[in-house]
Amino acid sequence: MTLWSTRMNAPPAEEMMAFSASLAFDRRLAAADIEASIAHVHGLARAGIVEEKEATLLAEALSRSGDELAAGVFQFEPGDEDIHTAIERRVHELAGDVGAKLHTGRSRNDQVATALRIYLRRELARLAELVLELQRTLARRAGDAGQTYLPGYTHLQRAQPVLLAHHLLAHGWALARDFDRLISTLERMDACPLGAGALGGSTLPLRPDETAETLGFAHRFENSLDAVSDRDFVAETLFDIALIGVHLSRVGEEVVIFSSEEFGFLRLDDAWATGSSMLPQKKNPDVAELARGKSGRLIGHLTGFLATLKGLPLAYNRDLQEDKEPLFDALDQVSLALVAVDGLISTTLFDTERMEAAADAPALVAVDLAEWLVVRGVPFREAHGIVGSLVRESIERHLPLAELIESHPSFGEDALSLLEPGTALRRRRTPGGAGPEAVAVQLGRFTAHLGEDAARLSAHRR
Ligand code: ARG
C-alpha cells in the first residue's frame, strides 16, 4: 500500500515503483527525518492540532522507529517508496490510529528538503574537519622540512629553488579556501523548509519559525515555493567537493611525478603504495592516482546535477530526487580521498638530497643574476638579455655557467657566490615568497589560521 493508493483505481506497477523508489539510497536520511518529524509533532501540539498526549505517542513511535533503523532491525515493506514513507508507515503500526495524524500540515516536499538540510549540515561539518586534518598534516610536514628546498616549476620546467615547506603550504592554502567554502555553504543553507507544505503553506495555524528554532536552524524559509524547490545547497556542496577533488588531484599528480624514478623526490611508505600483479619490482602510487582519478567523478556529479536542475519549473518536481545519489557519493568519495591523501602525505619520505641537487642546477639562479645586475644599474630587460645569452652559450659550448659568469665583464668573481647551493633561496626575502624568512612567517600565519578555522568549525558542530 502506498500513501496515495485511494486516489488510484489500480495498484502501482512494480516497474514504476522500481524506477521511482528512492529507499535504496535515502535510508541515510533516517535519523534526520526522525529528528524533523519529532519537531513537527511537537509543533502540531503547540498549534493545538494534536493533543499533547498524541504528540507524545507519535514522538515515541518515531524514536522507536529510529532505534529500529539504527539497530538494523527495521522491517521494510514492498510499498515503502522512500525512507520517509517507511517511517510514517511504521509509526502508524506502533502508535495505532494516532499515526494517521503525523503527516498533518506537511508534505514530503518540505519534509525531504528539511531532512536533507539536517543531514547535510552535519556532513559538511564532518567534511570540514577532514579538510582541517589534512591542512594540519601539511603544516606539520612543512615545519619538519626545515630548510630543505627543491626546484619550483613553471610549465613543469625548473624555474627557481623554493623551500619544500613553501611548496607544501601552497597546497595547504588551497585547502584553507576549501574549508572556508564548506563553512559558508553551511551558513547559507541554514534555513528550515518545514511548514512550506507541498508548495504553498497550510490553512492550519503552524508556526514554522518555532520548528526552525527547535531544529537548530538560524531561521525559517522566506518563500514556500522556493523552500521546496531550492537545491542550491546541494549544488554548492557538489561544487565545494569538486574543487576539493581538483586540489587533491593536483597533489596526486605531483606525488605520481615526484615519486617516479626520473624525479626521485619522494619515496612512498610501503603501507601507502601498491605492488604489481606481474612486475615484481613495482611500487605504485595508486593512492595518488585514485585521488587524481576520482576528481573526474566528483566534477561529473556537479555538472550532472546542474543539468538536472536547469529546466525545472517551480516548485517541487520529482527530478529533485536525483539530488541524493550524487550528493551521497560525492561526500563518501571525497571523505575517503581526504583521509587517504592525508595518510600518503604523512608517511611519504622526502629525498632531500635529490631535491636539493635538482634545485642547485646553476641555471635556476638566472633571474638572481639578472637582478644582481639591476642593483648595479642595468635595466632589467638588458640584464635578462645578458644572462639569457650566457645560459645559451653554456649549453651550446658545454661550458659551466660559473666559468662564463666569472669571465664576463658585467659579472666577475664577485657574482659567483650567487651560484653557491642554497644562496639563491636565502637572498629571496619578499613577503609571501619562497625564502626561509618569509616562509617562517607564513608558517606562523598558516598555523594561526588553522586555529581560527578550528574555532569557527566548533560553532557548527552538533
Ligand atoms: N523520495 C522523494 C524525494 O526524495 C520524496 C518526495 C516525493 N514527493 C512527491 N511529491 N512525489 O524527492
Side-chain angles (χ1 to χ4, degrees):
M1 268 260 283
T2 60
L3 293 174
W4 28 263
S5 55
T6 58
R7 166 67 180 79
M8 309 297 185
N9 276 318
E14 221 174 278
E15 295 82 354
M16 196 266 296
M17 287 299 274
F19 183 56
S20 61
S22 54
L23 184 63
F25 50 86
D26 64 17
R27 285 177 205 204
R28 60 168 101 185
L29 296 180
D33 184 74
I34 284 170
E35 188 181 339
S37 293
I38 290 175
H40 178 65
V41 297
H42 291 312
L44 291 175
R46 278 196 307 273
I49 299 162
V50 302
E51 286 171 30
E52 272 309 335
K53 59 176 196 299
E54 291 178 317
T56 308
L57 279 174
L58 287 169
E60 277 168 7
L62 281 161
S63 333
R64 173 126 175 243
S65 308
D67 294 343
E68 290 177 359
L69 281 157
V73 297
F74 189 101
Q75 294 291 325
F76 289 101
E77 301 279 333
D80 295 341
E81 233 190 305
D82 56 25
I83 189 65
H84 317 284
T85 52
I87 291 170
E88 186 180 340
R89 173 192 52 75
R90 183 65 184 140
V91 166
H92 219 135
E93 289 166 7
L94 290 168
D97 290 347
V98 67
K101 297 192 174 184
L102 171 62
H103 209 55
T104 313
R106 81 174 179 185
S107 153
R108 260 185 306 160
N109 301 348
D110 57 345
Q111 182 183 3
V112 169
T114 305
L116 194 56
R117 284 177 192 248
I118 290 174
Y119 166 82
L120 189 54
R121 64 187 183 184
R122 260 188 219 118
E123 286 292 295
L124 285 174
R126 188 186 56 73
L127 195 54
E129 180 61 47
L130 294 181
V131 172
L132 265 190
E133 265 313 306
L134 180 53
Q135 287 178 266
R136 288 190 189 111
T137 296
L138 286 163
R140 182 164 42 77
R141 300 250 36 195
D144 293 345
Q147 303 299 303
T148 301
Y149 55 90
L150 77 165
Y153 295 83
T154 63
H155 314 271
L156 202 55
Q157 308 288 323
R158 288 180 194 166
Q160 285 186 293
V162 298
L163 277 193
L164 175 57
H166 194 55
H167 190 114
L168 293 166
L169 289 175
H171 291 301
W173 289 110
L175 291 165
R177 294 189 294 276
D178 290 328
F179 176 92
D180 189 63
R181 262 184 291 274
L182 291 172
I183 300 295
S184 69
T185 298
L186 225 174
E187 289 170 356
R188 217 174 356 266
M189 65 176 273
D190 205 1
C192 184
L194 199 59
L199 77 164
S202 174
T203 60
L204 301 168
L206 300 170
R207 299 185 209 128
D209 290 284
E210 288 179 12
T211 29
E213 199 187 328
T214 310
L215 291 170
F217 282 97
H219 48 87
R220 65 158 165 83
F221 62 94
E222 294 291 344
N223 177 309
S224 61
L225 288 171
D226 184 40
V228 292
S229 64
D230 170 22
R231 292 294 185 277
D232 290 2
F233 62 101
V234 175
E236 277 187 44
T237 300
L238 291 175
F239 173 77
D240 298 347
I241 290 176
L243 195 51
I244 294 171
V246 166
H247 290 150
L248 296 181
S249 175
R250 296 180 69 178
V251 171
E253 169 68 359
E254 282 186 349
V255 171
V256 170
I257 295 175
F258 286 177
S259 64
S260 70
E261 207 135 331
E262 284 68 15
F263 271 82
F265 290 177
L266 307 176
R267 275 198 296 279
L268 302 182
D269 189 272
D270 284 356
W272 289 93
T274 53
S276 157
S277 59
M278 180 174 174
L279 310 172
Q281 84 282 15
K282 294 300 294 291
K283 184 167 158 186
N284 294 327
D286 289 29
V287 171
E289 290 167 321
L290 279 169
R292 192 176 59 188
K294 282 185 191 283
S295 66
R297 170 167 167 186
L298 298 174
I299 294 166
H301 287 326
L302 170 65
T303 58
F305 186 58
L306 288 173
T308 296
L309 288 180
K310 78 177 261 297
L312 300 185
L314 291 174
Y316 179 85
N317 299 273
R318 192 63 180 266
D319 314 48
L320 291 176
Q321 182 171 284
E322 289 295 305
D323 56 2
K324 289 168 200 67
E325 283 168 294
L327 179 65
F328 297 160
D329 185 63
L331 288 164
D332 291 347
Q333 295 304 320
V334 82
S335 304
L336 288 167
L338 280 163
V339 172
V341 169
D342 196 337
L344 192 67
I345 305 277
S346 299
T347 55
T348 288
L349 201 82
F350 296 123
D351 189 333
T352 55
E353 273 175 38
R354 287 281 297 242
M355 287 180 174
E356 296 190 352
D360 285 336
L364 271 74
V365 303
V367 73
D368 302 39
L369 288 165
E371 285 173 1
W372 192 86
L373 292 178
V374 166
V375 172
R376 284 154 187 80
V378 182
F380 178 72
R381 194 46 63 210
E382 211 176 290
H384 182 281
I386 293 169
V387 179
S389 56
L390 286 175
V391 170
R392 179 170 42 78
E393 196 182 337
S394 112
I395 293 167
E396 284 174 2
R397 295 176 53 206
H398 303 288
L399 291 172
L401 188 63
E403 219 168 90
L404 298 175
I405 296 288
E406 196 176 3
S407 58
H408 193 278
S410 307
F411 287 108
E413 208 180 323
D414 280 2
L416 280 183
S417 67
L418 297 188
L419 298 180
E420 275 161 27
T423 304
L425 205 54
R426 277 191 298 280
R427 292 181 69 253
R428 242 172 305 137
R429 295 210 167 81
T430 45
E437 289 153 39
V439 171
V441 172
Q442 183 194 165
L443 182 56
R445 288 165 81 119
F446 188 76
T447 309
H449 193 88
L450 278 179
E452 287 159 22
D453 278 353
R456 259 173 99 193
L457 181 57
S458 61
H460 291 285
R461 230 180 252 115
R462 297 173 199 265

